[in-house]
Coordinates of all heavy atoms in Angstrom, one line a residue:
N6 N 29.9 0.3 15.4 CA 30.1 -1.1 15.5 C 30.0 -1.7 14.1 O 28.9 -1.7 13.5 CB 29.0 -1.8 16.4 CG 29.2 -3.3 16.5 OD1 30.1 -3.9 15.9 ND2 28.4 -3.9 17.4
T7 N 31.1 -2.1 13.5 CA 31.1 -2.6 12.1 C 30.5 -4.0 12.0 O 30.2 -4.5 10.9 CB 32.5 -2.6 11.5 OG1 33.3 -3.4 12.4 CG2 33.1 -1.2 11.5
N8 N 30.3 -4.7 13.1 CA 29.7 -6.1 13.0 C 28.2 -6.0 13.2 O 27.5 -7.1 13.2 CB 30.3 -6.9 14.1 CG 31.8 -7.2 13.9 OD1 32.2 -7.4 12.7 ND2 32.5 -7.3 14.9
Y9 N 27.6 -4.9 13.3 CA 26.1 -4.8 13.4 C 25.4 -5.2 12.2 O 25.8 -4.8 11.1 CB 25.7 -3.4 13.8 CG 24.2 -3.2 13.8 CD1 23.5 -3.6 14.9 CD2 23.5 -2.6 12.8 CE1 22.1 -3.5 15.0 CE2 22.1 -2.5 12.8 CZ 21.4 -3.0 13.9 OH 20.1 -2.9 13.9
K10 N 24.4 -6.0 12.3 CA 23.6 -6.4 11.2 C 22.1 -6.3 11.6 O 21.7 -6.8 12.6 CB 23.9 -7.9 10.8 CG 23.1 -8.3 9.6 CD 23.5 -9.7 9.1 CE 22.5 -10.1 8.1 NZ 22.5 -10.6 7.0
S11 N 21.4 -5.5 10.8 CA 20.0 -5.2 11.2 C 19.2 -6.5 11.0 O 19.6 -7.4 10.2 CB 19.4 -4.1 10.3 OG 19.5 -4.5 8.9
P12 N 18.1 -6.7 11.7 CA 17.3 -7.9 11.6 C 16.7 -8.0 10.2 O 16.5 -7.1 9.5 CB 16.2 -7.7 12.6 CG 16.3 -6.3 13.0 CD 17.6 -5.7 12.6
T13 N 16.5 -9.3 9.8 CA 15.9 -9.5 8.5 C 14.4 -9.2 8.5 O 13.7 -9.5 9.5 CB 16.1 -11.0 8.1 OG1 17.4 -11.3 8.1 CG2 15.4 -11.4 6.8
I14 N 13.9 -8.6 7.5 CA 12.5 -8.2 7.4 C 11.9 -9.2 6.3 O 12.5 -9.3 5.2 CB 12.3 -6.8 6.9 CG1 12.9 -5.8 8.0 CG2 10.8 -6.5 6.6 CD1 13.0 -4.4 7.6
I15 N 10.8 -9.8 6.6 CA 10.2 -10.7 5.6 C 8.8 -10.2 5.3 O 8.0 -10.0 6.2 CB 10.1 -12.2 6.2 CG1 11.5 -12.7 6.5 CG2 9.4 -13.1 5.2 CD1 11.5 -14.0 7.2
I16 N 8.5 -10.0 4.1 CA 7.3 -9.5 3.6 C 6.6 -10.5 2.7 O 7.2 -11.0 1.7 CB 7.4 -8.2 2.8 CG1 8.1 -7.1 3.7 CG2 6.1 -7.7 2.3 CD1 8.6 -5.9 3.0
G17 N 5.4 -11.0 3.1 CA 4.7 -11.9 2.3 C 3.8 -11.2 1.3 O 3.1 -10.2 1.6
L18 N 3.8 -11.7 0.1 CA 3.0 -11.1 -1.0 C 2.2 -12.2 -1.7 O 2.7 -13.3 -1.9 CB 3.9 -10.4 -2.1 CG 4.9 -9.4 -1.6 CD1 5.9 -9.1 -2.6 CD2 4.1 -8.1 -1.2
I19 N 0.9 -11.9 -2.0 CA 0.1 -12.8 -2.8 C -0.4 -12.0 -4.0 O -1.1 -11.0 -3.8 CB -1.0 -13.4 -2.0 CG1 -0.5 -14.3 -0.8 CG2 -1.9 -14.3 -2.9 CD1 -1.5 -14.8 0.1
F20 N -0.1 -12.5 -5.1 CA -0.7 -11.9 -6.4 C -1.8 -12.7 -6.8 O -1.7 -13.9 -7.0 CB 0.4 -11.8 -7.5 CG 1.4 -10.8 -7.2 CD1 2.5 -11.0 -6.4 CD2 1.3 -9.5 -7.7 CE1 3.5 -10.1 -6.2 CE2 2.2 -8.5 -7.5 CZ 3.3 -8.8 -6.7
L21 N -3.0 -12.1 -6.9 CA -4.2 -12.9 -7.3 C -4.3 -13.0 -8.8 O -3.8 -12.2 -9.5 CB -5.4 -12.2 -6.7 CG -5.4 -12.0 -5.2 CD1 -6.7 -11.2 -4.7 CD2 -5.4 -13.3 -4.5
E22 N -5.1 -14.0 -9.2 CA -5.3 -14.1 -10.6 C -6.1 -13.0 -11.1 O -6.7 -12.2 -10.3 CB -6.0 -15.5 -11.0 CG -7.4 -15.5 -10.5 CD -7.6 -16.0 -9.1 OE1 -6.7 -16.0 -8.3 OE2 -8.8 -16.2 -8.8
G23 N -6.2 -12.8 -12.4 CA -7.0 -11.7 -12.9 C -6.2 -10.7 -13.8 O -6.7 -10.0 -14.6
T24 N -4.8 -10.7 -13.6 CA -4.0 -10.0 -14.4 C -3.8 -10.7 -15.7 O -3.9 -11.9 -15.8 CB -2.6 -9.8 -13.8 OG1 -2.7 -9.3 -12.5 CG2 -1.6 -9.0 -14.6
E25 N -3.7 -10.0 -16.8 CA -3.6 -10.6 -18.1 C -2.5 -11.7 -18.1 O -1.3 -11.4 -17.7 CB -3.2 -9.6 -19.2 CG -3.1 -10.1 -20.6 CD -2.8 -9.0 -21.5 OE1 -3.1 -7.8 -21.3 OE2 -2.2 -9.3 -22.6
L26 N -2.8 -12.9 -18.4 CA -1.9 -14.1 -18.3 C -0.7 -13.9 -19.1 O -0.7 -13.4 -20.2 CB -2.6 -15.3 -18.7 CG -1.9 -16.6 -18.5 CD1 -1.6 -16.8 -17.0 CD2 -2.7 -17.8 -19.0
G27 N 0.5 -14.1 -18.5 CA 1.8 -14.0 -19.2 C 2.3 -12.6 -19.2 O 3.4 -12.4 -19.6
K28 N 1.6 -11.6 -18.7 CA 2.0 -10.3 -18.6 C 3.1 -10.1 -17.5 O 3.0 -10.7 -16.4 CB 0.9 -9.3 -18.3 CG 1.2 -7.9 -18.3 CD 0.0 -7.0 -18.1 CE 0.4 -5.5 -18.3 NZ -0.8 -4.7 -18.3
E29 N 4.2 -9.4 -17.8 CA 5.2 -9.2 -16.8 C 4.9 -8.1 -15.9 O 4.5 -7.0 -16.3 CB 6.6 -8.9 -17.5 CG 7.7 -8.9 -16.5 CD 9.1 -8.6 -17.2 OE1 9.3 -7.5 -17.6 OE2 9.8 -9.6 -17.3
L30 N 4.9 -8.4 -14.6 CA 4.7 -7.3 -13.6 C 6.1 -7.0 -13.0 O 7.0 -7.8 -13.1 CB 3.8 -7.9 -12.5 CG 2.5 -8.4 -12.9 CD1 1.8 -9.1 -11.8 CD2 1.6 -7.3 -13.5
I31 N 6.2 -5.8 -12.4 CA 7.4 -5.4 -11.8 C 7.2 -5.1 -10.3 O 6.3 -4.4 -10.0 CB 8.0 -4.1 -12.5 CG1 8.2 -4.3 -14.0 CG2 9.2 -3.6 -11.8 CD1 9.4 -5.3 -14.3
L32 N 8.1 -5.7 -9.5 CA 8.1 -5.4 -8.1 C 9.3 -4.5 -7.9 O 10.5 -4.9 -8.2 CB 8.2 -6.6 -7.2 CG 8.4 -6.4 -5.7 CD1 7.2 -5.7 -5.1 CD2 8.6 -7.7 -5.0
E33 N 9.1 -3.3 -7.4 CA 10.2 -2.3 -7.3 C 10.4 -1.9 -5.8 O 9.4 -1.5 -5.2 CB 9.9 -1.1 -8.1 CG 11.0 0.0 -8.1 CD 10.6 1.2 -9.0 OE1 10.3 0.9 -10.2 OE2 10.5 2.3 -8.5
V34 N 11.6 -2.0 -5.3 CA 11.9 -1.5 -4.0 C 12.8 -0.3 -4.1 O 13.9 -0.4 -4.6 CB 12.6 -2.7 -3.1 CG1 12.9 -2.2 -1.7 CG2 11.7 -3.9 -3.1
D35 N 12.3 0.8 -3.6 CA 13.0 2.1 -3.8 C 13.9 2.4 -2.6 O 13.6 3.4 -1.8 CB 12.0 3.2 -4.1 CG 12.7 4.5 -4.5 OD1 13.9 4.5 -4.8 OD2 12.0 5.5 -4.6
N36 N 14.9 1.7 -2.4 CA 15.9 2.0 -1.3 C 17.3 1.4 -1.8 O 17.6 0.3 -1.7 CB 15.5 1.3 0.0 CG 16.5 1.7 1.1 OD1 17.6 2.1 0.8 ND2 16.1 1.5 2.3
P37 N 18.1 2.3 -2.4 CA 19.4 1.9 -2.9 C 20.4 1.5 -1.9 O 21.5 1.0 -2.2 CB 19.8 3.1 -3.7 CG 19.2 4.2 -3.0 CD 17.9 3.7 -2.5
H38 N 20.1 1.6 -0.6 CA 21.1 1.3 0.5 C 20.9 -0.1 1.1 O 21.6 -0.4 2.1 CB 21.0 2.4 1.5 CG 21.1 3.8 1.0 ND1 22.3 4.2 0.5 CD2 20.3 4.7 0.8 CE1 22.2 5.5 0.0 NE2 20.9 5.8 0.2
I39 N 20.1 -0.9 0.5 CA 19.8 -2.3 1.1 C 21.1 -3.1 0.9 O 21.6 -3.2 -0.3 CB 18.6 -2.9 0.5 CG1 17.4 -2.1 0.9 CG2 18.5 -4.4 0.9 CD1 16.1 -2.5 0.2
D40 N 21.5 -3.8 1.9 CA 22.7 -4.7 1.8 C 22.4 -6.0 1.1 O 23.1 -6.5 0.3 CB 23.3 -4.9 3.2 CG 24.1 -3.7 3.7 OD1 24.5 -2.9 2.9 OD2 24.2 -3.6 4.9
D41 N 21.2 -6.6 1.5 CA 20.8 -7.9 0.9 C 19.3 -7.9 0.8 O 18.6 -7.5 1.7 CB 21.2 -9.1 1.9 CG 22.6 -9.4 1.8 OD1 23.1 -9.7 0.7 OD2 23.3 -9.5 2.8
I42 N 18.9 -8.4 -0.4 CA 17.5 -8.5 -0.7 C 17.3 -9.7 -1.6 O 18.1 -10.0 -2.5 CB 16.9 -7.2 -1.3 CG1 15.4 -7.3 -1.5 CG2 17.6 -6.9 -2.7 CD1 14.7 -5.9 -1.9
A43 N 16.2 -10.5 -1.3 CA 15.9 -11.7 -2.1 C 14.4 -11.8 -2.3 O 13.7 -11.5 -1.3 CB 16.6 -12.9 -1.5
L44 N 14.0 -12.3 -3.4 CA 12.6 -12.6 -3.7 C 12.5 -14.1 -3.9 O 13.2 -14.7 -4.8 CB 12.1 -11.8 -4.9 CG 10.6 -12.0 -5.2 CD1 9.7 -11.4 -4.1 CD2 10.3 -11.3 -6.6
Y45 N 11.5 -14.7 -3.2 CA 11.3 -16.2 -3.4 C 9.8 -16.3 -3.8 O 8.9 -15.6 -3.5 CB 11.4 -16.9 -2.0 CG 12.8 -16.9 -1.5 CD1 13.3 -15.8 -0.8 CD2 13.7 -18.0 -1.7 CE1 14.6 -15.8 -0.3 CE2 15.0 -17.9 -1.3 CZ 15.4 -16.8 -0.5 OH 16.7 -16.8 -0.1
Q46 N 9.6 -17.4 -4.6 CA 8.3 -17.7 -5.1 C 7.9 -19.1 -4.6 O 8.8 -20.0 -4.7 CB 8.2 -17.7 -6.6 CG 6.8 -18.0 -7.2 CD 6.7 -17.8 -8.7 OE1 7.6 -17.4 -9.3 NE2 5.6 -18.2 -9.2
K47 N 6.7 -19.3 -4.2 CA 6.3 -20.7 -3.7 C 5.9 -21.5 -4.9 O 5.0 -21.2 -5.7 CB 5.0 -20.5 -2.8 CG 4.5 -21.8 -2.3 CD 5.2 -22.1 -1.0 CE 4.5 -23.4 -0.4 NZ 4.8 -23.6 0.9
K48 N 6.7 -22.5 -5.2 CA 6.5 -23.5 -6.2 C 6.6 -24.9 -5.6 O 7.6 -25.6 -5.9 CB 7.5 -23.3 -7.4 CG 7.3 -22.0 -8.1 CD 8.4 -21.9 -9.3 CE 8.2 -20.7 -10.1 NZ 9.2 -20.6 -11.2
G49 N 5.7 -25.2 -4.7 CA 5.9 -26.4 -3.9 C 6.9 -26.0 -2.8 O 6.4 -25.7 -1.6
D50 N 8.2 -25.9 -3.0 CA 9.1 -25.3 -2.1 C 9.3 -23.8 -2.5 O 8.8 -23.4 -3.5 CB 10.5 -26.0 -2.3 CG 10.5 -27.5 -1.8 OD1 9.7 -27.7 -0.8 OD2 11.2 -28.3 -2.4
W51 N 10.0 -23.1 -1.6 CA 10.3 -21.7 -1.9 C 11.5 -21.6 -2.8 O 12.6 -22.1 -2.4 CB 10.5 -20.9 -0.6 CG 9.3 -20.7 0.2 CD1 8.9 -21.4 1.2 CD2 8.3 -19.8 -0.1 NE1 7.6 -21.0 1.7 CE2 7.2 -19.9 0.9 CE3 8.1 -18.8 -1.1 CZ2 6.1 -19.2 0.9 CZ3 6.9 -18.0 -1.0 CH2 6.0 -18.2 -0.1
I52 N 11.4 -21.0 -4.0 CA 12.5 -20.9 -5.0 C 12.9 -19.5 -5.1 O 12.1 -18.6 -5.2 CB 12.0 -21.4 -6.4 CG1 11.4 -22.8 -6.3 CG2 13.1 -21.3 -7.4 CD1 12.3 -23.9 -5.9
K53 N 14.2 -19.3 -4.9 CA 14.8 -17.9 -5.1 C 14.7 -17.5 -6.6 O 15.3 -18.2 -7.4 CB 16.2 -17.8 -4.6 CG 16.7 -16.3 -4.6 CD 18.2 -16.3 -4.3 CE 18.5 -16.5 -2.9 NZ 19.9 -16.3 -2.5
I54 N 14.0 -16.4 -6.8 CA 13.8 -16.0 -8.2 C 14.5 -14.6 -8.5 O 14.6 -14.2 -9.7 CB 12.3 -15.9 -8.7 CG1 11.6 -14.9 -7.8 CG2 11.7 -17.3 -8.6 CD1 10.2 -14.6 -8.3
G55 N 15.0 -14.0 -7.5 CA 15.7 -12.7 -7.7 C 16.5 -12.4 -6.4 O 16.1 -12.8 -5.3
F56 N 17.6 -11.6 -6.6 CA 18.3 -11.2 -5.4 C 19.1 -9.9 -5.8 O 19.2 -9.5 -6.9 CB 19.3 -12.3 -4.9 CG 20.4 -12.6 -5.9 CD1 21.6 -11.9 -5.9 CD2 20.2 -13.5 -6.9 CE1 22.6 -12.2 -6.8 CE2 21.2 -13.8 -7.9 CZ 22.4 -13.1 -7.8
G57 N 19.6 -9.3 -4.8 CA 20.4 -8.0 -5.0 C 21.0 -7.6 -3.7 O 21.0 -8.3 -2.7
G58 N 21.4 -6.4 -3.7 CA 22.0 -5.8 -2.5 C 23.4 -5.3 -2.8 O 24.0 -5.7 -3.8
D59 N 23.9 -4.5 -1.9 CA 25.3 -3.9 -2.1 C 26.4 -4.8 -1.6 O 27.5 -4.6 -1.9 CB 25.3 -2.5 -1.5 CG 24.4 -1.5 -2.2 OD1 24.2 -1.8 -3.4 OD2 24.0 -0.5 -1.6
R60 N 26.1 -5.6 -0.6 CA 27.1 -6.4 0.0 C 27.6 -7.5 -0.9 O 26.9 -8.5 -1.2 CB 26.6 -7.0 1.3 CG 27.6 -7.7 2.1 CD 27.2 -7.9 3.5 NE 27.1 -6.5 4.1 CZ 26.8 -6.3 5.3 NH1 26.7 -7.2 6.1 NH2 26.6 -5.0 5.7
G61 N 28.9 -7.4 -1.3 CA 29.5 -8.5 -2.1 C 29.1 -8.5 -3.6 O 29.4 -9.4 -4.3
R62 N 28.3 -7.5 -4.0 CA 27.9 -7.5 -5.4 C 28.2 -6.1 -6.0 O 28.2 -5.1 -5.3 CB 26.4 -7.7 -5.5 CG 26.0 -9.1 -5.0 CD 24.5 -9.3 -5.1 NE 24.1 -10.5 -4.4 CZ 23.8 -10.5 -3.1 NH1 23.7 -9.4 -2.4 NH2 23.4 -11.6 -2.5
V63 N 28.4 -6.1 -7.3 CA 28.6 -4.8 -8.0 C 27.3 -4.4 -8.8 O 26.5 -5.3 -9.1 CB 29.8 -4.8 -9.0 CG1 31.1 -5.0 -8.2 CG2 29.6 -5.9 -10.0
F64 N 27.1 -3.1 -9.0 CA 25.9 -2.6 -9.6 C 25.6 -3.3 -11.0 O 24.4 -3.6 -11.2 CB 26.1 -1.1 -9.9 CG 24.9 -0.4 -10.4 CD1 23.8 -0.1 -9.6 CD2 24.8 -0.1 -11.7 CE1 22.7 0.5 -10.1 CE2 23.7 0.5 -12.3 CZ 22.6 0.8 -11.4
K65 N 26.6 -3.6 -11.8 CA 26.4 -4.1 -13.1 C 25.8 -5.6 -13.1 O 25.4 -6.1 -14.1 CB 27.6 -4.1 -14.0 CG 28.8 -4.9 -13.5 CD 29.9 -4.8 -14.4 CE 31.1 -5.7 -14.0 NZ 32.2 -5.5 -14.8
E66 N 25.8 -6.2 -11.9 CA 25.3 -7.6 -11.8 C 23.7 -7.6 -11.6 O 23.1 -8.7 -11.6 CB 25.9 -8.3 -10.6 CG 27.4 -8.6 -10.8 CD 28.0 -9.3 -9.7 OE1 27.4 -9.3 -8.6 OE2 29.1 -9.8 -9.8
R67 N 23.1 -6.5 -11.4 CA 21.7 -6.4 -11.2 C 20.9 -6.8 -12.5 O 21.4 -6.6 -13.6 CB 21.3 -5.0 -10.8 CG 21.8 -4.6 -9.4 CD 21.2 -3.3 -9.0 NE 21.7 -2.9 -7.7 CZ 21.3 -1.9 -7.0 NH1 20.3 -1.1 -7.5 NH2 21.8 -1.6 -5.8
S68 N 19.7 -7.3 -12.3 CA 18.9 -7.7 -13.4 C 18.5 -6.5 -14.2 O 18.5 -6.6 -15.5 CB 17.6 -8.4 -12.9 OG 17.9 -9.5 -12.2
Y69 N 18.2 -5.4 -13.5 CA 17.9 -4.1 -14.2 C 18.9 -3.1 -13.7 O 19.1 -3.0 -12.4 CB 16.5 -3.6 -13.8 CG 15.4 -4.4 -14.5 CD1 15.0 -5.6 -14.0 CD2 14.9 -3.9 -15.7 CE1 14.0 -6.3 -14.7 CE2 13.9 -4.6 -16.4 CZ 13.4 -5.8 -15.8 OH 12.4 -6.5 -16.5
L70 N 19.6 -2.4 -14.5 CA 20.6 -1.4 -14.1 C 19.8 -0.2 -13.7 O 19.6 0.8 -14.5 CB 21.6 -1.1 -15.2 CG 22.5 -2.3 -15.6 CD1 23.5 -1.8 -16.7 CD2 23.2 -2.9 -14.4
N71 N 19.4 -0.2 -12.4 CA 18.5 0.9 -11.9 C 18.9 1.0 -10.4 O 19.3 0.0 -9.7 CB 17.1 0.4 -12.0 CG 16.1 1.5 -11.6 OD1 16.2 2.1 -10.6 ND2 15.1 1.7 -12.5
R72 N 18.9 2.2 -9.9 CA 19.3 2.4 -8.5 C 18.3 1.7 -7.5 O 18.6 1.4 -6.4 CB 19.4 3.9 -8.1 CG 18.2 4.6 -8.1 CD 18.4 6.1 -7.6 NE 17.1 6.7 -7.3 CZ 16.5 6.6 -6.1 NH1 17.0 5.9 -5.2 NH2 15.3 7.3 -6.0
R73 N 17.1 1.5 -8.0 CA 16.1 0.8 -7.2 C 16.3 -0.7 -7.4 O 16.9 -1.1 -8.4 CB 14.7 1.1 -7.6 CG 14.4 2.6 -7.4 CD 13.1 2.9 -8.0 NE 12.7 4.3 -7.8 CZ 13.0 5.3 -8.7 NH1 13.7 5.0 -9.8 NH2 12.7 6.5 -8.5
F74 N 15.8 -1.6 -6.5 CA 15.8 -3.0 -6.8 C 14.6 -3.4 -7.5 O 13.5 -3.1 -7.1 CB 16.0 -3.8 -5.5 CG 17.3 -3.5 -4.8 CD1 17.4 -2.6 -3.7 CD2 18.5 -4.1 -5.3 CE1 18.6 -2.4 -3.1 CE2 19.7 -3.8 -4.7 CZ 19.8 -3.0 -3.6
V75 N 14.7 -4.0 -8.7 CA 13.6 -4.3 -9.6 C 13.6 -5.8 -9.8 O 14.6 -6.4 -10.2 CB 13.8 -3.5 -10.9 CG1 12.6 -3.8 -11.9 CG2 13.9 -2.0 -10.7
F76 N 12.4 -6.4 -9.6 CA 12.2 -7.8 -9.8 C 11.1 -8.0 -10.8 O 9.9 -7.6 -10.5 CB 11.9 -8.5 -8.5 CG 12.9 -8.4 -7.4 CD1 12.8 -7.4 -6.4 CD2 14.0 -9.2 -7.4 CE1 13.8 -7.3 -5.4 CE2 15.0 -9.1 -6.5 CZ 14.9 -8.1 -5.5
P77 N 11.3 -8.7 -11.9 CA 10.2 -9.0 -12.8 C 9.4 -10.2 -12.3 O 10.0 -11.1 -11.8 CB 10.9 -9.3 -14.1 CG 12.3 -9.8 -13.7 CD 12.6 -9.0 -12.5
I78 N 8.1 -10.2 -12.4 CA 7.3 -11.3 -12.0 C 6.3 -11.6 -13.1 O 5.6 -10.7 -13.6 CB 6.5 -10.8 -10.7 CG1 7.5 -10.6 -9.6 CG2 5.5 -11.9 -10.3 CD1 6.8 -10.0 -8.3
Q79 N 6.2 -12.8 -13.5 CA 5.2 -13.2 -14.5 C 3.9 -13.4 -13.8 O 3.8 -14.0 -12.7 CB 5.7 -14.5 -15.2 CG 6.8 -14.4 -16.1 CD 6.6 -13.5 -17.3 OE1 7.0 -12.4 -17.4 NE2 5.7 -14.0 -18.2
S80 N 2.8 -13.0 -14.5 CA 1.4 -13.2 -14.0 C 1.1 -14.7 -14.2 O 1.6 -15.3 -15.1 CB 0.5 -12.3 -14.7 OG 0.4 -12.5 -16.0
H81 N 0.2 -15.2 -13.4 CA -0.3 -16.6 -13.4 C -1.8 -16.6 -13.4 O -2.5 -15.7 -13.1 CB 0.3 -17.3 -12.2 CG 1.8 -17.4 -12.1 ND1 2.5 -18.3 -12.8 CD2 2.7 -16.6 -11.5 CE1 3.8 -18.1 -12.6 NE2 3.9 -17.0 -11.8
D82 N -2.3 -17.8 -13.7 CA -3.7 -18.0 -13.7 C -4.3 -18.4 -12.4 O -5.5 -18.8 -12.3 CB -4.1 -19.0 -14.8 CG -3.5 -20.4 -14.6 OD1 -2.6 -20.5 -13.7 OD2 -3.8 -21.4 -15.3
R83 N -3.5 -18.4 -11.3 CA -3.9 -18.7 -10.0 C -3.2 -17.8 -9.0 O -2.2 -17.2 -9.4 CB -3.7 -20.2 -9.7 CG -2.2 -20.5 -9.8 CD -2.0 -22.0 -9.6 NE -0.7 -22.5 -10.0 CZ 0.5 -21.9 -10.0 NH1 0.6 -20.7 -9.6 NH2 1.6 -22.6 -10.3
P84 N -3.7 -17.7 -7.8 CA -2.9 -16.9 -6.8 C -1.5 -17.4 -6.6 O -1.3 -18.6 -6.6 CB -3.7 -17.1 -5.5 CG -5.1 -17.4 -6.0 CD -4.9 -18.2 -7.2
T85 N -0.6 -16.5 -6.5 CA 0.8 -16.9 -6.4 C 1.5 -16.2 -5.2 O 1.3 -15.0 -5.0 CB 1.6 -16.5 -7.7 OG1 0.9 -17.1 -8.8 CG2 3.0 -17.1 -7.7
E86 N 2.2 -17.0 -4.4 CA 2.8 -16.5 -3.2 C 4.3 -16.1 -3.4 O 5.0 -16.9 -4.1 CB 2.7 -17.5 -2.1 CG 1.3 -17.8 -1.7 CD 1.3 -18.9 -0.6 OE1 1.7 -18.6 0.5 OE2 0.8 -20.0 -0.9
F87 N 4.7 -15.0 -2.8 CA 6.1 -14.6 -2.8 C 6.5 -14.2 -1.4 O 5.7 -13.7 -0.6 CB 6.2 -13.4 -3.8 CG 5.9 -13.7 -5.2 CD1 4.6 -13.5 -5.7 CD2 6.9 -14.1 -6.1 CE1 4.3 -13.8 -7.0 CE2 6.6 -14.3 -7.4 CZ 5.3 -14.2 -7.9
L88 N 7.8 -14.3 -1.2 CA 8.4 -13.7 0.0 C 9.5 -12.8 -0.4 O 10.4 -13.2 -1.2 CB 9.0 -14.8 0.9 CG 8.0 -15.7 1.7 CD1 8.8 -16.8 2.5 CD2 7.2 -14.9 2.7
L89 N 9.5 -11.6 0.2 CA 10.6 -10.7 -0.1 C 11.4 -10.6 1.2 O 10.8 -10.2 2.3 CB 10.0 -9.3 -0.5 CG 11.0 -8.2 -0.8 CD1 11.8 -8.6 -2.0 CD2 10.3 -6.9 -1.0
M90 N 12.6 -10.9 1.2 CA 13.5 -10.9 2.4 C 14.5 -9.8 2.3 O 15.2 -9.7 1.3 CB 14.2 -12.2 2.6 CG 13.2 -13.4 2.8 SD 13.9 -15.0 3.1 CE 14.6 -14.7 4.7
I91 N 14.5 -8.9 3.3 CA 15.4 -7.8 3.3 C 16.2 -7.8 4.5 O 15.7 -8.0 5.6 CB 14.6 -6.4 3.2 CG1 13.7 -6.4 2.0 CG2 15.6 -5.2 3.3 CD1 12.7 -5.2 2.0

């Protein structure tokens, strides 16, 4: 069935303070076959800060040219909430 779409998976992440402020962290998803993936950060509202996937996009459009999905995250001085939608 070519119209089949798997259900969306939502993963909540909270990064606690304590990481060196301003240091870049990396969230890496090691599955090159994902059709759609997006990372949102809670800044009052949920703001999309990264996206990827094979559906409708080419490899060279990725933030990092890597077979894995890689999202850079800046450390903060307070707990920060993220949603990863797959």
Side-chain angles (χ1 to χ4, degrees):
N6 182 356
T7 59
N8 293 324
Y9 174 77
K10 183 171 171 138
S11 60
T13 300
I14 298 169
I15 301 173
I16 301 170
L18 305 164
I19 298 176
F20 287 85
L21 302 175
E22 71 275 11
T24 305
E25 184 179 331
L26 189 60
K28 185 175 184 174
E29 184 177 75
L30 305 172
I31 299 292
L32 175 63
E33 181 180 302
V34 180
D35 188 12
N36 183 342
H38 305 291
I39 293 173
D40 287 334
D41 281 306
I42 186 169
L44 181 65
Y45 295 84
Q46 182 177 355
K47 179 88 174 194
K48 294 181 178 181
D50 292 327
W51 289 101
I52 307 297
K53 186 188 286 188
I54 61 170
F56 65 92
D59 292 335
R60 185 160 300 184
R62 296 177 191 96
V63 295
F64 184 80
K65 68 181 180 180
E66 293 177 345
R67 293 186 182 189
S68 300
Y69 286 83
L70 297 183
N71 189 311
R72 71 174 190 84
R73 299 171 180 94
F74 294 102
V75 179
F76 300 99
I78 297 173
Q79 288 295 109
S80 60
H81 298 278
D82 60 351
R83 58 182 167 35
T85 307
E86 297 178 66
F87 296 90
L88 286 178
L89 182 65
M90 297 180 74
I91 302 171

